[in-house]
Amino acid sequence: MEIRDLEYFVAVAHSGSFTRAARDMFISQSSLSAAVRRLEHTLDVELFERTQQGAQLTASGRFFLQRAEAILGKCVQPAHTPGWSTAPLNCATCRHWWRRDQSAFSLHR
């Protein structure tokens, strides 16, 4: 899981659309969809219900959105640092969250 994956997930969650989120993130829709699928695979859970009208968060997705926004809010690495958004979740805040809440997240699958 990379920071960018969380950014993509949050963008889709807020826009309700993979197409709009891809446009806003300056990435192709297929690349964004693939990144979210990888995230879902990593977490072993479906985060979105995909329809022709857009993407709606599942119960697991709503739970994960809170955690993802908290992580992104606490990761204070400057966005202009090369490679930051492709870095693994290895800052102390991220590691702490992942260890602490991993079991809680599995309850929301």
Side-chain angles (χ1 to χ4, degrees):
M1 186 182 325
E2 297 176 348
I3 293 168
R4 180 180 293 162
D5 296 333
L6 297 182
E7 292 174 326
Y8 291 163
F9 165 73
V10 170
V12 175
H14 286 287
S15 70
S17 163
F18 281 85
T19 302
R20 279 192 300 272
R23 184 191 64 226
D24 295 344
M25 299 297 291
F26 302 103
I27 184 174
S28 71
Q29 190 270 331
S30 60
S31 295
L32 181 107
S33 292
V36 171
R37 285 275 185 213
R38 281 192 307 272
L39 181 61
E40 289 175 322
H41 179 75
T42 298
L43 297 171
D44 192 28
V45 68
E46 198 169 293
L47 298 169
F48 293 100
E49 182 179 322
R50 294 155 172 88
T51 67
Q52 288 186 346
Q53 288 75 35
Q56 295 182 357
L57 287 169
T58 62
S60 296
R62 287 189 297 277
F63 180 82
F64 188 68
L65 178 61
Q66 296 170 357
R67 301 310 195 262
E69 289 176 330
I71 287 173
L72 291 172
K74 291 178 182 178
C75 288
V76 294
Q77 184 76 25
H80 64 274
T81 301
W84 176 71
S85 63
T86 59
L89 293 178
N90 61 4
C91 73
T93 299
C94 299
R95 283 195 311 268
H96 172 72
W97 169 82
W98 191 247
R99 281 193 303 266
R100 188 194 67 179
D101 286 351
Q102 195 170 15
S103 61
F105 181 70
S106 65
L107 296 174
H108 286 80
R109 292 188 204 186

